[in-house]
Amino acid sequence: MACACKNKRQTYEVVPNAGRANRPAFTSSSRGTAEAVADRYPTSIVRDKKTGDAVYHAWPKGAYEVVVGDRVVLPAHKVRNDADKGPLRAAADERAADGAVVRAVSSGAVVYPLMAALTASGATLTAEQAPTPA
C-alpha cells in the first residue's frame, strides 16, 4: 500500500543552467541536500517542486566579492563552505539599499541576493521570497 504522506511531502529540484534546463538534475525532500548537490553544478538553482519558485542559487567553491555597480565594496573572499558565505551575505545585506550583490570573481555571475541572481542569469523563475532592505 502507498504511503499517505506522499502528496504532502515538500520536494526540491536542482535545475542546471540557471533554471533554464528542461528537466531537473536531482530531486530531494531535503532542502539542504538539494543545495549541496546544486553547489556541484555552477549556475544551478534549487526550486520548490510544487510552487516552482526558486529558493537557492548555487555558490560553487571559488572567489566571490561584493559590488555596488562597478565599485568593489568587499574584495575577493574564498568560499569553500557555507560558513565562508556569511561575511559576503552580511556585507551585501548591509548595502542592499544601494543595490549591492555578491558575484563570482572569475565569471562575474551574480549569486546573491536570489532575485538579483535570477535576473542577471536570465532565468524566468520567480523567487520564493524577495529580500527586503534592512
Side-chain angles (χ1 to χ4, degrees):
M1 184 191 307
C3 177
C5 65
K6 180 181 177 188
N7 294 330
K8 296 179 179 118
R9 187 179 313 150
Q10 192 165 10
T11 308
Y12 298 95
E13 300 175 321
V14 176
V15 185
N17 299 332
R20 293 187 301 257
N22 293 332
R23 296 184 339 182
F26 180 78
T27 303
S28 175
S29 60
S30 167
R31 182 173 173 173
T33 301
E35 289 177 3
V37 170
D39 283 339
R40 296 180 191 161
Y41 299 96
T43 72
S44 63
I45 290 175
V46 175
R47 70 179 179 200
D48 186 324
K49 186 174 182 177
K50 285 186 180 177
T51 64
D53 291 343
V55 295
Y56 178 77
H57 189 279
W59 289 46
K61 293 179 183 178
Y64 293 87
E65 61 189 359
V66 178
V67 297
V68 175
D70 290 332
R71 185 173 53 97
V72 176
V73 176
L74 187 65
H77 281 350
K78 292 270 186 192
V79 170
R80 293 181 194 93
N81 55 38
D82 284 339
D84 294 338
K85 299 174 187 178
L88 295 165
R89 284 186 183 134
D93 289 342
E94 185 178 300
R95 294 170 180 84
D98 299 330
V101 296
V102 178
R103 72 176 181 195
V105 173
S106 61
S107 66
V110 175
V111 294
Y112 184 83
L114 185 56
M115 282 304 299
L118 292 173
T119 303
S121 67
T124 57
L125 297 172
T126 57
E128 175 185 61
Q129 180 178 7
T132 55

